[in-house]
DNA sequence: CTAGCTGCAAAGATTTTGCATGCGT
DNA sequence: ACGCATGCAAAATCTTTGCAGCTAG
């Protein structure tokens, strides 16, 4: 269910272990996530990051690879109420997210009290709980200090109707 | 910020009150939501429901109207981790959702303990909290009883990659 | 009357798919 | 060598937009 927590990261092995061939596109995509711990990348992000490294991979392949990795539980897919999908490395332990609506940075958090209340609510509604999504939106410490805004470099960001930035990561 | 809580629902007035003209498409769309309290409809749902009533409205108009209503806070927009947007009537009070991954039915809930913990977490991370989304996914009481599954009539439902039904409402 | 709204058609954005070729095992 | 995977191109899906004509106030 969760990826092997090996300290020497053998990416081809990790891919083969879930029944997939260790091809270049798959290795490089997974490598990107390992090289950027905690980051959330869209298909397009992956595509451009790989292009910047002069790796010839086609967008359709990136989509296929991300989907397979998500099905294999190597990656986790999120939407964050935007119109695109973002993926992050599945570190095995569940967590929720707090996102800055200005700079788009994402932090993880876990709160046992909330987890327990959720279980209780599901029981009260007579549901068998399978999963949940909890995302807090607000302004991060940096973005609440006006003078510091110009120090933040957005990797790529376009604000959409619902007020969220379309791209969730910064350099 | 929140719609007028009048018992005699004057839909044209509600529309005019937010600075929009009470046109037929707008009146009928808003009526749909009032006639189906608690339901979550996509643009396409609205379009088909209106078509069934022999009301000639074009999909582009439905999209425009839903967007305007969401901006006016008459409706609330959700994504529910799918690839479409769903809208529900804004009853003024915040709530979260619990969704059945089998039949797609949606129930609302509020939990003060969770709300308070969220405020605390935001403070700990030094965020100014603006909003949040919490959605629980599981199997509803009906769907956990195999023999009862055939009694449930899905309005329209197609399961997608992430295991969620694309359409969130049942008849 | 006139600004705002709709229908229509086209385009934009994201994601998926069919098929021939290429590559991992 | 076999069969899965990729590239390429096209399509599918959801959503937005430009523009001309219509309509609510």
């Amino acid at each position: 269910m969760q990826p092997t927590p090996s300290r020497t990261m053998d990416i081809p092995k990790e891919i083969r272990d879930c029944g997939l061939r260790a091809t270049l596109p798959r290795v490089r995509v997974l490598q990107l996530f390992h090289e950027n711990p905690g980051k959330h990348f869209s298909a397009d992000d992956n595509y451009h990051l790989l292009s910047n490294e002069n790796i010839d991979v086609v967008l359709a392949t990136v989509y296929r690879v991300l989907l397979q990795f998500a099905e294999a539980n190597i990656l986790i897919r999120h939407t964050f109420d935007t119109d695109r999908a973002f993926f992050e490395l599945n570190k095995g332990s569940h967590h929720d997210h707090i996102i800055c609506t200005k700079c788009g940075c994402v932090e993880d958090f876990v709160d046992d009290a909330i987890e327990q209340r959720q279980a209780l609510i599901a029981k009260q509604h007579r549901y068998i709980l399978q999963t949940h999504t909890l995302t807090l939106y607000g302004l991060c410490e940096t973005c609440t200090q006006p003078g510091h805004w110009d120090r933040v470099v957005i990797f790529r960001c376009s604000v959409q109707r619902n007020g969220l930035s379309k791209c969730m990561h910064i350099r």
Side-chain angles (χ1 to χ4, degrees), chain A:
Chain A
M1 206 63 178
Q2 61 202 53
T4 43
S6 63
R7 75 169 55 179
T8 52
M9 198 57 69
D10 187 346
I11 290 176
K13 182 177 185 311
E14 192 178 343
I15 294 171
R16 272 186 237 103
D17 281 351
C18 52
L20 299 169
R21 290 184 177 177
T23 62
L24 189 103
R26 297 212 258 238
V27 171
R28 294 310 172 101
V29 164
L30 189 49
Q31 209 164 45
L32 266 185
F33 284 97
H34 278 295
E35 286 166 356
N36 298 274
K39 291 280 187 202
H40 299 71
F41 293 133
S42 70
D44 203 54
D45 295 336
N46 275 271
Y47 176 68
H48 285 294
L49 289 170
L50 293 180
S51 297
N52 291 347
E53 296 179 11
N54 289 322
I55 298 171
D56 269 331
V57 183
V58 133
L59 189 55
T61 299
V62 173
Y63 274 104
R64 274 184 287 229
V65 167
L66 290 174
L67 189 62
Q68 292 161 332
F69 285 172
E71 280 170 351
N73 278 300
I74 295 182
L75 298 180
I76 305 176
R77 194 191 110 113
H78 301 286
T79 302
F80 296 130
D81 250 314
T82 66
D83 56 356
R84 340 152 111 66
F86 294 89
F87 297 83
E88 70 172 321
L89 214 49
N90 181 4
K91 297 185 211 72
S93 59
H94 163 79
H95 61 259
D96 296 308
H97 299 94
I98 180 164
I99 302 183
C100 176
T101 56
K102 195 166 176 183
C103 74
C105 63
V106 184
E107 289 179 48
D108 299 345
F109 72 87
V110 191
D111 187 85
D112 286 335
I114 290 181
E115 302 289 325
Q116 284 167 27
R117 293 295 297 182
Q118 288 175 357
L120 182 65
I121 290 159
K123 182 173 282 186
Q124 286 170 347
H125 286 255
R126 301 180 199 289
Y127 270 62
I128 296 177
L129 190 59
Q130 294 171 320
T131 181
H132 76 264
T133 334
L134 169 58
T135 309
L136 309 185
Y137 299 95
L139 296 171
C140 74
E141 190 173 18
T142 306
C143 286
T144 49
Q145 298 170 354
H148 291 242
W149 168 240
D150 43 304
R151 287 201 212 148
V152 180
V153 181
I154 301 286
F155 179 69
R156 200 178 61 259
C157 178
S158 61
V159 175
Q160 51 177 14
R161 278 167 313 298
N162 60 12
L164 278 181
S165 62
K166 279 197 166 185
C167 200
M168 292 292 152
H169 56 279
I170 59 169
R171 264 202 236 274

